[in-house]
Amino acid sequence: MQIERLSAWNDQGDQPLIIAGPCSAETEEQLFNTATELYNNGIRIIRAGVWKPRTRPGTFEGIGEDALQWIQNIKKKLDVKFAIEVANAQHVELALKYGIDILWIGARSTVNPFTIQEIADALKGNDVPVFVKNPLNPDLALWIGALERLNQAGITKLGAIHRGFSTSKKVKYRNLPQWQIALELKRKYPEMPMICDPSHIAGDRELIQSLSQKAMDLVYDGLIIESHINPAEAWSDAAQQVTPAALKEILESLVIRKSNTDNPEVQNHLAEMRERIDEIDREIFDTLAERMKIVDQIGEYKKDNKVTVFQVNRYKEMMQARTEWAEDLNLNQEFMENIFSLIHDAAIRRQTLIMSETESKA
């Protein structure tokens, strides 16, 4: 993908890109007062929900085109840019008509390639920046596919928004961060601007600061945070919105770290520790290679004795033991379960291949 770096079109310099504003544009007064307070606290890009399709009908679903007129009026009074969500070609046409500066595509739209293509076709010939939120479910290919469709339509001012992934589990977050998925996208496309949406990950304003700091520690390019002049009275997502004053406190508390340092002492110390990490990683690979040799031997033995590849009880025993090992070593249980599952899956594939080779010879 051909993507312009954020610094090429963002005028905030080396500072993180900050987009803030209400979940929904409710009234012109509410939007103007919120935007004014945010502007007074240093925010120069305001977000506002114009169309708010909900899971079920019968609730507030946004003001629509009238809100775009409010935005146009506010931009005449305040030196700010506006960012809004678009979900179809008509939204795109209206957003461009009213001079919206930045567009984003929501998680529900990202899951549908037909919707993304419709939006991409409507954007051809325009150079407005477009951000794409991750799909509802943890599907990196679907996220990349949406970005590729827009890029093929000529959108080079392209970025990604990490807003977390839906879950049926009862956890403290509204959406699971699953940071590794967003970081994998960043690894594949290092030039791709990546901003975090801690509001939708959290679902609770009390968690926004810690999530924002986590994003900064992972070298995200910015944040998009929901802010309302009176969150308690918000017509949507009241629990996760913060006042402009609270937002200022959150942003001022963030520690912005550099990806590199010019301090020779720090560089040398990091080099020594990284060298040790490389040594340990090599030991891990050597151990895994040795494990796979034994896996192959077991596979041959199962083949000769007509034993099935997968042993349910053995798997349960192994998983239980490794979970206990992780706990004894003060390692994250879920992390270790994921690692062992990958190792076990690889072992099953190898032994299955041994069985299939025997069948093909027969």
Side-chain angles (χ1 to χ4, degrees):
M1 284 190 281
Q2 293 184 333
I3 302 169
E4 293 185 43
R5 292 189 176 276
L6 185 62
S7 58
W9 56 267
N10 171 44
D11 56 8
Q12 295 188 24
D14 295 331
Q15 296 301 310
L17 177 70
I18 304 297
I19 302 173
C23 173
S24 302
E26 301 162 357
T27 67
E28 186 166 8
E29 180 183 18
Q30 166 257 358
L31 185 58
F32 176 72
N33 289 341
T34 302
T36 299
E37 286 295 313
L38 289 168
Y39 178 82
N40 291 338
N41 286 319
I43 303 300
R44 295 295 178 264
I45 304 178
I46 311 297
R47 59 147 291 154
V50 173
W51 297 280
K52 301 295 297 181
R54 316 311 292 169
T55 303
R56 299 180 66 182
T59 57
F60 174 67
E61 294 191 304
I63 300 297
E65 187 173 356
D66 286 346
L68 294 175
Q69 182 64 63
W70 301 344
I71 289 172
Q72 198 172 60
N73 294 338
I74 291 170
K75 288 181 65 175
K76 293 175 181 177
K77 300 174 183 177
L78 299 175
D79 184 19
V80 294
K81 294 180 179 179
F82 265 85
I84 70 165
E85 177 180 349
V86 292
N88 56 46
Q90 182 185 26
H91 291 174
V92 171
E93 292 167 5
L94 287 171
L96 296 175
K97 173 184 174 182
Y98 284 91
I100 299 299
D101 304 282
I102 298 172
L103 308 180
W104 83 79
I105 297 171
R108 288 182 175 85
S109 299
T110 305
V111 303
N112 189 335
F114 291 103
T115 298
I116 296 298
Q117 190 60 58
E118 177 185 339
I119 293 172
D121 291 342
L123 283 166
K124 285 182 179 178
N126 294 282
D127 64 351
V128 61
V130 180
F131 283 89
V132 180
K133 287 193 174 186
N134 62 255
L136 293 171
N137 297 316
D139 189 334
L140 180 58
L142 203 55
W143 198 1
I144 292 174
L147 291 160
E148 288 176 334
R149 287 178 184 277
L150 291 161
N151 194 236
Q152 289 175 3
I155 301 299
T156 57
K157 296 175 182 176
L158 193 60
I161 299 176
H162 174 210
R163 51 81 75 192
F165 301 88
S166 296
T167 177
S168 58
K169 298 178 181 178
K170 189 175 182 180
V171 294
K172 69 176 182 178
Y173 296 124
R174 176 179 176 180
N175 294 293
L176 287 175
Q178 300 205 40
W179 301 97
Q180 73 278 8
I181 296 175
L183 292 177
E184 179 62 13
L185 176 63
K186 189 71 172 174
R187 186 190 69 78
K188 288 178 177 292
Y189 302 101
E191 73 282 6
M192 176 84 68
M194 172 78 73
I195 66 176
C196 183
D197 179 353
S199 303
H200 281 88
I201 293 177
D204 180 344
R205 65 178 61 88
E206 298 301 323
L207 301 173
I208 290 176
Q209 195 282 333
S210 60
L211 287 166
S212 297
Q213 183 62 62
K214 174 81 170 181
M216 292 298 96
D217 291 344
L218 293 173
V219 202
Y220 278 47
D221 297 288
L223 303 165
I224 178 168
I225 299 177
E226 292 188 341
S227 180
H228 192 288
I229 195 70
N230 186 3
E233 300 298 324
W235 296 2
S236 58
D237 286 352
Q240 66 191 42
Q241 300 198 64
V242 297
T243 64
L247 175 65
K248 182 180 180 182
E249 291 181 6
I250 290 171
L251 296 178
E252 289 180 344
S253 73
L254 295 179
V255 178
I256 309 300
R257 297 179 173 89
K258 298 179 179 179
S259 57
N260 295 300
T261 175
D262 296 328
N263 187 318
E265 183 178 349
V266 174
Q267 289 177 338
N268 291 336
H269 191 51
L270 283 174
E272 292 173 3
M273 291 188 287
R274 286 167 176 165
E275 184 176 352
R276 180 57 183 143
I277 286 288
D278 290 343
E279 293 172 358
I280 293 172
D281 285 350
R282 181 52 193 254
E283 292 171 7
I284 291 173
F285 274 74
D286 288 342
T287 301
L288 286 173
E290 188 64 27
R291 189 186 195 281
M292 289 305 172
K293 290 179 183 177
I294 299 173
V295 163
D296 290 346
Q297 292 172 15
I298 293 174
E300 294 287 350
Y301 191 78
K302 287 178 178 177
K303 174 193 69 176
D304 294 340
N305 291 276
K306 295 182 172 58
V307 177
T308 60
V309 169
F310 184 55
Q311 306 285 315
V312 177
N313 291 334
R314 169 60 176 163
Y315 178 75
K316 289 180 179 178
E317 291 172 1
M318 294 171 72
M319 183 62 82
Q320 178 63 35
R322 280 126 188 93
T323 299
E324 292 173 358
W325 297 346
E327 185 176 353
D328 291 342
L329 295 169
N330 197 30
L331 294 170
N332 181 274
Q333 181 177 321
E334 183 181 1
F335 170 64
M336 296 309 296
E337 287 178 355
N338 289 338
I339 287 180
F340 178 68
S341 293
L342 288 172
I343 294 172
H344 186 264
D345 289 347
I348 292 296
R349 286 195 297 272
R350 289 174 76 101
Q351 291 185 0
T352 300
L353 183 59
I354 290 172
M355 296 289 188
S356 64
E357 287 176 347
T358 303
E359 294 172 357
S360 64
K361 291 178 181 178

